[in-house]
Coordinates of all heavy atoms in Angstrom, one line a residue:
M46 N 29.1 -30.6 17.0 CA 29.3 -29.2 16.9 C 28.0 -28.4 17.0 O 27.0 -28.8 16.3 CB 30.0 -28.8 15.5 CG 31.4 -29.2 15.5 SD 32.2 -29.0 13.9 CE 32.4 -27.3 13.7
G47 N 27.9 -27.4 17.8 CA 26.7 -26.6 18.0 C 26.7 -25.5 16.9 O 27.7 -25.2 16.2
A48 N 25.6 -24.8 16.9 CA 25.5 -23.7 16.0 C 26.3 -22.6 16.4 O 26.3 -22.2 17.6 CB 24.0 -23.3 15.9
E49 N 27.1 -22.0 15.5 CA 28.0 -20.9 15.9 C 27.3 -19.6 15.5 O 26.6 -19.5 14.6 CB 29.3 -21.0 15.1 CG 30.1 -22.3 15.5 CD 31.4 -22.4 14.8 OE1 31.9 -21.3 14.3 OE2 31.9 -23.5 14.6
A50 N 27.6 -18.6 16.3 CA 27.1 -17.2 16.0 C 27.8 -16.7 14.8 O 29.0 -16.9 14.6 CB 27.4 -16.3 17.2
P51 N 27.1 -16.0 13.9 CA 27.7 -15.5 12.7 C 28.7 -14.4 13.1 O 28.4 -13.6 13.9 CB 26.5 -14.9 11.9 CG 25.4 -14.8 12.9 CD 25.6 -15.8 14.0
T52 N 29.8 -14.4 12.4 CA 30.8 -13.4 12.6 C 30.7 -12.3 11.6 O 31.3 -11.2 11.9 CB 32.2 -14.0 12.6 OG1 32.4 -14.7 11.3 CG2 32.4 -15.1 13.7
D53 N 30.1 -12.5 10.5 CA 29.9 -11.5 9.5 C 28.7 -10.6 9.9 O 27.6 -11.1 10.0 CB 29.7 -12.2 8.2 CG 29.5 -11.2 7.0 OD1 29.8 -10.0 7.2 OD2 29.2 -11.7 5.9
P54 N 28.9 -9.3 10.0 CA 27.8 -8.4 10.4 C 26.6 -8.5 9.4 O 25.5 -8.3 9.7 CB 28.4 -7.0 10.4 CG 29.9 -7.2 10.3 CD 30.2 -8.6 9.9
V55 N 27.0 -8.7 8.1 CA 25.9 -8.8 7.1 C 25.0 -10.0 7.3 O 23.8 -10.0 7.0 CB 26.5 -8.9 5.7 CG1 25.5 -9.1 4.6 CG2 27.4 -7.7 5.4
A56 N 25.5 -11.0 8.0 CA 24.7 -12.2 8.3 C 23.6 -11.9 9.3 O 22.6 -12.7 9.4 CB 25.6 -13.3 8.9
T57 N 23.7 -10.8 10.0 CA 22.7 -10.4 11.0 C 21.5 -9.7 10.3 O 20.6 -9.3 10.9 CB 23.2 -9.5 12.1 OG1 23.8 -8.3 11.6 CG2 24.3 -10.3 12.9
L58 N 21.7 -9.4 9.0 CA 20.6 -8.7 8.3 C 19.8 -9.6 7.4 O 20.3 -10.6 6.9 CB 21.3 -7.6 7.4 CG 22.2 -6.6 8.0 CD1 22.8 -5.7 7.0 CD2 21.3 -5.8 9.0
R59 N 18.6 -9.3 7.2 CA 17.7 -10.1 6.4 C 17.4 -9.2 5.1 O 16.7 -8.2 5.2 CB 16.3 -10.3 7.0 CG 16.3 -11.3 8.1 CD 15.0 -11.4 8.7 NE 14.7 -10.0 9.2 CZ 13.5 -9.6 9.7 NH1 12.5 -10.4 9.7 NH2 13.3 -8.4 10.1
G60 N 18.0 -9.6 4.0 CA 17.8 -8.9 2.8 C 18.2 -7.4 2.9 O 17.6 -6.6 2.3
G61 N 19.2 -7.1 3.6 CA 19.7 -5.7 3.8 C 18.9 -4.9 4.8 O 19.2 -3.8 5.0
L62 N 17.9 -5.6 5.5 CA 17.1 -4.9 6.5 C 17.6 -5.2 7.9 O 18.0 -6.3 8.1 CB 15.6 -5.3 6.3 CG 15.0 -4.9 5.0 CD1 13.6 -5.5 4.9 CD2 14.9 -3.4 4.8
P63 N 17.5 -4.2 8.8 CA 17.9 -4.5 10.2 C 17.0 -5.6 10.8 O 15.9 -5.8 10.4 CB 17.6 -3.2 10.9 CG 17.6 -2.2 9.9 CD 17.1 -2.9 8.6
D64 N 17.6 -6.3 11.7 CA 16.9 -7.5 12.3 C 16.1 -7.0 13.6 O 15.9 -7.8 14.5 CB 17.9 -8.5 12.8 CG 17.5 -9.9 12.4 OD1 16.5 -10.1 11.7 OD2 18.2 -10.9 12.8
R65 N 15.7 -5.7 13.6 CA 15.0 -5.2 14.7 C 14.0 -4.1 14.1 O 14.2 -3.6 13.0 CB 15.9 -4.6 15.7 CG 16.7 -3.4 15.2 CD 17.6 -2.8 16.2 NE 18.4 -1.8 15.6 CZ 18.0 -0.5 15.4 NH1 16.8 -0.1 15.6 NH2 18.8 0.4 14.8
Y66 N 13.1 -3.7 14.9 CA 12.2 -2.6 14.5 C 13.0 -1.3 14.6 O 13.9 -1.1 15.4 CB 11.0 -2.5 15.4 CG 10.0 -3.7 15.2 CD1 9.8 -4.7 16.1 CD2 9.3 -3.8 14.0 CE1 9.0 -5.8 15.8 CE2 8.5 -4.8 13.7 CZ 8.3 -5.8 14.6 OH 7.5 -6.9 14.4
L67 N 12.6 -0.4 13.8 CA 13.4 0.9 13.7 C 12.7 2.0 14.6 O 11.5 2.0 14.8 CB 13.3 1.4 12.2 CG 14.0 0.4 11.2 CD1 13.7 1.0 9.8 CD2 15.4 0.2 11.5
T68 N 13.5 2.9 15.0 CA 13.1 4.0 15.8 C 13.0 5.2 15.0 O 13.5 5.3 13.8 CB 14.1 4.3 17.0 OG1 15.3 4.7 16.4 CG2 14.3 3.1 17.9
P69 N 12.3 6.3 15.4 CA 12.3 7.5 14.6 C 13.7 8.0 14.4 O 14.0 8.6 13.3 CB 11.5 8.5 15.5 CG 10.6 7.6 16.3 CD 11.4 6.4 16.6
E70 N 14.6 7.9 15.3 CA 16.0 8.3 15.1 C 16.7 7.5 14.0 O 17.5 8.1 13.3 CB 16.8 8.1 16.4 CG 16.4 9.0 17.6 CD 15.2 8.6 18.3 OE1 14.6 7.5 18.1 OE2 14.7 9.4 19.2
D71 N 16.3 6.2 13.9 CA 16.8 5.4 12.7 C 16.4 6.0 11.4 O 17.2 6.1 10.5 CB 16.4 4.0 12.8 CG 17.0 3.2 14.0 OD1 18.1 3.5 14.4 OD2 16.3 2.3 14.5
L72 N 15.1 6.5 11.3 CA 14.7 7.1 10.1 C 15.4 8.4 9.8 O 15.7 8.7 8.6 CB 13.1 7.3 10.1 CG 12.3 6.1 9.6 CD1 12.5 4.8 10.4 CD2 10.8 6.5 9.6
V73 N 15.6 9.1 10.8 CA 16.4 10.4 10.7 C 17.7 10.1 10.0 O 18.2 10.8 9.1 CB 16.6 11.1 12.0 CG1 17.6 12.3 11.9 CG2 15.2 11.7 12.5
T74 N 18.4 9.1 10.5 CA 19.7 8.7 10.0 C 19.6 8.1 8.6 O 20.4 8.5 7.7 CB 20.4 7.6 10.9 OG1 20.5 8.2 12.2 CG2 21.7 7.2 10.4
M75 N 18.6 7.2 8.3 CA 18.5 6.6 7.0 C 18.2 7.6 5.9 O 18.7 7.5 4.8 CB 17.3 5.6 7.1 CG 17.6 4.3 7.9 SD 16.2 3.3 8.0 CE 15.9 2.8 6.3
F76 N 17.4 8.6 6.2 CA 16.9 9.5 5.2 C 17.5 10.9 5.3 O 17.1 11.8 4.6 CB 15.4 9.6 5.2 CG 14.7 8.3 4.9 CD1 13.9 7.7 5.8 CD2 14.9 7.7 3.6 CE1 13.3 6.5 5.5 CE2 14.3 6.5 3.3 CZ 13.5 5.9 4.3
S77 N 18.5 11.1 6.2 CA 19.2 12.3 6.4 C 18.2 13.5 6.7 O 18.2 14.5 6.1 CB 20.1 12.7 5.2 OG 21.1 11.7 5.0
L78 N 17.3 13.2 7.6 CA 16.2 14.2 7.9 C 16.8 15.2 8.9 O 17.7 14.9 9.7 CB 15.0 13.5 8.5 CG 14.4 12.4 7.6 CD1 13.3 11.7 8.4 CD2 13.8 13.1 6.4
P79 N 16.2 16.4 9.0 CA 16.7 17.4 9.9 C 16.5 17.0 11.4 O 17.4 17.3 12.2 CB 15.9 18.6 9.6 CG 14.9 18.3 8.6 CD 15.1 16.9 8.2
S80 N 15.4 16.3 11.8 CA 15.2 15.9 13.2 C 14.1 14.9 13.3 O 13.4 14.6 12.3 CB 14.8 17.2 14.0 OG 13.5 17.6 13.7
V81 N 13.9 14.4 14.5 CA 12.8 13.4 14.7 C 11.4 14.1 14.5 O 10.4 13.4 14.2 CB 12.9 12.7 16.0 CG1 14.1 11.8 16.0 CG2 12.8 13.6 17.2
E82 N 11.4 15.4 14.7 CA 10.1 16.1 14.5 C 9.6 15.9 13.1 O 8.4 15.9 12.9 CB 10.3 17.6 14.8 CG 10.5 17.9 16.3 CD 9.4 17.3 17.2 OE1 8.2 17.4 16.8 OE2 9.7 16.6 18.2
T83 N 10.5 15.8 12.1 CA 10.0 15.5 10.7 C 9.3 14.2 10.7 O 8.2 14.1 10.0 CB 11.2 15.5 9.8 OG1 11.9 16.7 9.9 CG2 10.8 15.2 8.4
V84 N 9.8 13.2 11.3 CA 9.2 11.8 11.4 C 7.8 12.0 12.0 O 6.8 11.4 11.5 CB 10.0 10.8 12.1 CG1 9.3 9.5 12.2 CG2 11.4 10.7 11.4
Y85 N 7.7 12.7 13.1 CA 6.4 12.8 13.8 C 5.4 13.7 13.0 O 4.2 13.4 13.0 CB 6.6 13.4 15.2 CG 7.2 12.5 16.2 CD1 8.5 12.6 16.6 CD2 6.5 11.3 16.6 CE1 9.1 11.7 17.5 CE2 7.1 10.4 17.5 CZ 8.4 10.6 17.9 OH 8.9 9.7 18.8
A86 N 5.9 14.7 12.2 CA 5.1 15.5 11.3 C 4.5 14.6 10.2 O 3.3 14.7 9.9 CB 5.8 16.7 10.8
W87 N 5.4 13.7 9.6 CA 4.9 12.8 8.6 C 3.8 11.9 9.2 O 2.8 11.7 8.5 CB 6.0 11.9 8.1 CG 7.1 12.5 7.2 CD1 7.1 13.8 6.7 CD2 8.3 11.9 6.8 NE1 8.2 14.0 6.0 CE2 8.9 12.8 6.0 CE3 8.9 10.7 7.0 CZ2 10.2 12.5 5.4 CZ3 10.1 10.4 6.4 CH2 10.7 11.3 5.6
R88 N 4.0 11.5 10.4 CA 3.0 10.6 11.0 C 1.6 11.3 11.2 O 0.6 10.8 10.9 CB 3.5 10.1 12.3 CG 2.6 9.0 13.0 CD 3.4 8.3 14.0 NE 2.5 7.5 14.9 CZ 2.0 6.3 14.6 NH1 2.3 5.8 13.5 NH2 1.2 5.7 15.5
R89 N 1.7 12.6 11.7 CA 0.5 13.4 11.9 C -0.2 13.6 10.5 O -1.4 13.6 10.5 CB 0.8 14.7 12.5 CG 1.1 14.7 14.0 CD 1.1 16.0 14.6 NE 2.1 16.9 14.0 CZ 3.4 17.0 14.4 NH1 3.9 16.2 15.3 NH2 4.2 17.8 13.8
K90 N 0.5 13.8 9.5 CA 0.0 14.1 8.2 C -0.3 12.8 7.4 O -0.9 12.9 6.3 CB 1.0 14.9 7.3 CG 1.2 16.3 7.9 CD 2.2 17.0 7.1 CE 2.6 18.4 7.7 NZ 3.7 19.1 7.0
R91 N 0.0 11.7 8.0 CA -0.2 10.4 7.3 C 0.5 10.3 6.0 O 0.0 9.7 5.0 CB -1.6 10.0 7.2 CG -2.3 10.0 8.6 CD -3.7 9.5 8.4 NE -4.5 9.7 9.6 CZ -4.4 9.0 10.7 NH1 -3.6 8.0 10.8 NH2 -5.2 9.2 11.8
I92 N 1.7 10.8 5.9 CA 2.5 10.8 4.6 C 3.8 9.9 4.7 O 4.4 9.7 3.7 CB 2.8 12.2 4.1 CG1 3.6 13.0 5.1 CG2 1.5 12.9 3.7 CD1 4.1 14.3 4.5
G93 N 4.1 9.5 5.9 CA 5.4 8.8 6.1 C 5.1 7.3 6.1 O 4.0 6.8 5.9
P94 N 6.2 6.6 6.4 CA 6.0 5.1 6.5 C 5.1 4.7 7.7 O 5.1 5.5 8.7 CB 7.5 4.6 6.8 CG 8.2 5.8 7.3 CD 7.6 7.0 6.7
P95 N 4.4 3.6 7.6 CA 3.5 3.2 8.7 C 4.4 2.8 9.9 O 5.4 2.2 9.8 CB 2.8 2.1 8.1 CG 3.6 1.5 7.0 CD 4.4 2.7 6.5
G96 N 3.9 3.3 11.1 CA 4.6 3.0 12.3 C 3.5 2.5 13.3 O 2.3 2.5 13.0
F97 N 4.0 2.0 14.4 CA 3.1 1.6 15.5 C 3.7 1.9 16.8 O 4.9 2.1 17.0 CB 2.8 0.1 15.4 CG 4.0 -0.8 15.5 CD1 4.4 -1.4 16.7 CD2 4.9 -1.0 14.4 CE1 5.5 -2.2 16.8 CE2 6.0 -1.8 14.5 CZ 6.3 -2.4 15.7
R98 N 2.9 1.9 17.9 CA 3.3 2.3 19.2 C 3.5 1.0 20.0 O 2.8 0.0 19.9 CB 2.2 3.1 19.9 CG 2.1 4.5 19.4 CD 3.0 5.4 20.1 NE 2.9 6.7 19.6 CZ 3.8 7.6 19.8 NH1 4.9 7.3 20.6 NH2 3.7 8.8 19.3
V99 N 4.6 1.0 20.8 CA 4.9 0.0 21.7 C 5.0 0.8 23.0 O 6.0 1.4 23.3 CB 6.2 -0.8 21.5 CG1 6.5 -1.8 22.5 CG2 6.2 -1.4 20.1
G100 N 3.9 0.8 23.8 CA 3.8 1.7 24.9 C 3.8 3.1 24.4 O 3.1 3.5 23.6
R101 N 4.8 3.8 24.9 CA 4.9 5.2 24.5 C 5.9 5.4 23.4 O 6.2 6.5 22.9 CB 5.3 6.1 25.7 CG 6.6 5.9 26.2 CD 6.9 6.8 27.4 NE 8.3 6.7 27.7 CZ 8.9 7.6 28.5 NH1 8.3 8.5 29.1 NH2 10.2 7.5 28.7
Y102 N 6.5 4.3 22.9 CA 7.6 4.4 21.9 C 7.0 4.1 20.5 O 6.2 3.2 20.3 CB 8.7 3.4 22.2 CG 9.3 3.7 23.6 CD1 8.9 2.9 24.7 CD2 10.1 4.7 23.8 CE1 9.5 3.1 25.9 CE2 10.7 5.0 25.0 CZ 10.3 4.2 26.1 OH 10.8 4.4 27.3
L103 N 7.5 4.8 19.5 CA 7.1 4.7 18.1 C 8.1 3.8 17.5 O 9.3 4.0 17.6 CB 7.1 6.0 17.4 CG 6.6 6.1 16.0 CD1 5.3 5.5 15.8 CD2 6.7 7.5 15.5
R104 N 7.7 2.8 16.7 CA 8.5 1.8 16.0 C 8.0 1.6 14.6 O 6.9 1.8 14.3 CB 8.6 0.5 16.8 CG 9.2 0.5 18.1 CD 10.7 0.9 18.0 NE 11.3 0.9 19.3 CZ 11.6 2.1 20.0 NH1 11.3 3.2 19.5 NH2 12.2 2.0 21.2
F105 N 9.0 1.2 13.8 CA 8.7 1.0 12.3 C 9.2 -0.4 11.9 O 10.3 -0.7 12.3 CB 9.3 2.1 11.5 CG 8.9 3.5 11.8 CD1 9.5 4.2 12.8 CD2 7.8 4.0 11.1 CE1 9.0 5.5 13.1 CE2 7.3 5.3 11.4 CZ 8.0 6.0 12.4
N106 N 8.4 -1.1 11.1 CA 8.8 -2.4 10.6 C 9.8 -2.0 9.4 O 9.4 -1.3 8.5 CB 7.6 -3.1 10.1 CG 8.0 -4.5 9.6 OD1 9.0 -4.7 9.0 ND2 7.1 -5.5 9.8
P107 N 11.0 -2.6 9.4 CA 12.0 -2.3 8.4 C 11.4 -2.6 7.0 O 11.7 -1.9 6.0 CB 13.2 -3.2 8.7 CG 13.1 -3.5 10.1 CD 11.6 -3.5 10.4
A108 N 10.7 -3.7 6.8 CA 10.1 -4.1 5.5 C 9.1 -3.0 5.1 O 9.0 -2.7 3.9 CB 9.5 -5.4 5.6
A109 N 8.3 -2.5 6.0 CA 7.3 -1.5 5.7 C 8.0 -0.2 5.3 O 7.5 0.5 4.4 CB 6.4 -1.2 6.8
V110 N 9.1 0.2 5.9 CA 9.8 1.4 5.6 C 10.4 1.2 4.2 O 10.4 2.2 3.4 CB 10.9 1.7 6.6 CG1 11.8 2.8 6.2 CG2 10.3 2.0 8.0
K111 N 11.0 0.1 3.9 CA 11.5 -0.2 2.6 C 10.4 -0.1 1.5 O 10.7 0.5 0.4 CB 12.2 -1.6 2.6 CG 12.8 -1.9 1.2 CD 14.0 -1.0 0.9 CE 14.7 -1.5 -0.4 NZ 15.5 -0.4 -0.9
A112 N 9.3 -0.7 1.8 CA 8.2 -0.6 0.8 C 7.7 0.8 0.6 O 7.4 1.2 -0.5 CB 7.0 -1.5 1.3
W113 N 7.7 1.6 1.7 CA 7.3 3.0 1.6 C 8.3 3.8 0.7 O 8.0 4.6 -0.1 CB 7.2 3.6 3.0 CG 6.9 5.1 3.0 CD1 5.7 5.7 2.8 CD2 7.9 6.1 3.1 NE1 5.9 7.1 2.9 CE2 7.2 7.4 3.0 CE3 9.3 6.1 3.3 CZ2 7.8 8.6 3.1 CZ3 9.9 7.4 3.4 CH2 9.2 8.6 3.3
E114 N 9.6 3.5 1.0 CA 10.7 4.2 0.2 C 10.6 3.8 -1.2 O 10.7 4.7 -2.1 CB 12.0 3.7 0.8 CG 13.2 4.3 0.0 CD 14.4 3.5 0.0 OE1 14.4 2.3 0.5 OE2 15.4 4.0 -0.5
T115 N 10.3 2.6 -1.6 CA 10.2 2.1 -2.9 C 9.0 2.8 -3.6 O 9.1 3.3 -4.8 CB 10.0 0.6 -3.0 OG1 11.1 0.0 -2.4 CG2 9.8 0.1 -4.4
A116 N 7.9 3.0 -2.9 CA 6.7 3.7 -3.5 C 7.0 5.1 -3.7 O 6.6 5.7 -4.7 CB 5.5 3.5 -2.5
Q117 N 7.7 5.7 -2.8 CA 8.1 7.2 -2.9 C 9.0 7.4 -4.1 O 8.8 8.4 -4.8 CB 8.7 7.7 -1.6 CG 7.8 7.7 -0.4 CD 6.5 8.4 -0.6 OE1 6.5 9.6 -1.0 NE2 5.4 7.7 -0.4
T118 N 10.0 6.6 -4.3 CA 10.9 6.8 -5.4 C 10.2 6.5 -6.7 O 10.5 7.1 -7.7 CB 12.2 5.9 -5.2 OG1 11.8 4.6 -5.1 CG2 13.0 6.4 -4.0
A119 N 9.2 5.6 -6.7 CA 8.5 5.3 -7.9 C 7.5 6.4 -8.3 O 7.3 6.6 -9.5 CB 7.6 4.0 -7.8
L120 N 7.1 7.2 -7.3 CA 6.2 8.4 -7.6 C 7.0 9.6 -8.2 O 6.4 10.4 -8.8 CB 5.5 8.8 -6.3 CG 4.5 7.8 -5.8 CD1 4.0 8.3 -4.4 CD2 3.3 7.6 -6.8
D121 N 8.3 9.6 -7.9 CA 9.1 10.8 -8.3 C 9.8 10.5 -9.6 O 10.8 9.8 -9.6 CB 10.0 11.2 -7.2 CG 10.7 12.5 -7.4 OD1 10.5 13.1 -8.5 OD2 11.4 13.0 -6.5
P122 N 9.4 11.0 -10.7 CA 10.0 10.7 -12.0 C 11.4 11.4 -12.1 O 12.2 11.0 -13.0 CB 9.1 11.3 -13.1 CG 8.3 12.4 -12.3 CD 8.2 11.9 -10.9
A123 N 11.8 12.3 -11.3 CA 13.1 13.0 -11.3 C 14.2 12.1 -10.8 O 15.4 12.4 -11.0 CB 13.0 14.3 -10.5
I124 N 13.9 11.0 -10.2 CA 14.9 10.2 -9.6 C 15.4 9.1 -10.6 O 14.7 8.6 -11.4 CB 14.4 9.5 -8.3 CG1 14.2 10.5 -7.3 CG2 15.4 8.4 -7.8 CD1 13.7 10.0 -5.9

């Protein structure tokens, strides 16, 4: 018997993180942001999650985004 492809969508995730690099649009969806311009503004101000360029495309490591989110929620005592 060969290895079978997982049928459970959760099996394609690693620890709840997507199995691919995230796009600015993914961050808009994840954090309910008004637009991708917010993501680019965060990047210009160096206040958002760390990203990197692949050619002309901006990508984010899911683990780095999760770490950034954890740090942000730890800084806000109201949460």
Side-chain angles (χ1 to χ4, degrees):
M46 283 171 80
E49 295 180 25
T52 56
D53 182 8
V55 177
T57 62
L58 301 178
R59 288 176 299 173
L62 298 173
D64 224 7
R65 62 177 178 80
Y66 289 110
L67 302 173
T68 65
E70 292 81 6
D71 291 329
L72 270 59
V73 169
T74 302
M75 288 174 65
F76 298 115
S77 300
L78 301 173
S80 73
V81 294
E82 289 305 315
T83 302
V84 176
Y85 289 109
W87 286 354
R88 186 164 166 82
R89 281 191 303 275
K90 295 176 185 177
R91 301 186 191 284
I92 60 173
F97 60 96
R98 290 268 177 199
V99 178
R101 66 180 194 169
Y102 302 103
L103 181 59
R104 294 294 181 259
F105 299 88
N106 183 323
V110 172
K111 181 66 175 164
W113 175 82
E114 176 206 13
T115 301
Q117 295 306 304
T118 55
L120 293 175
D121 190 353
I124 294 179

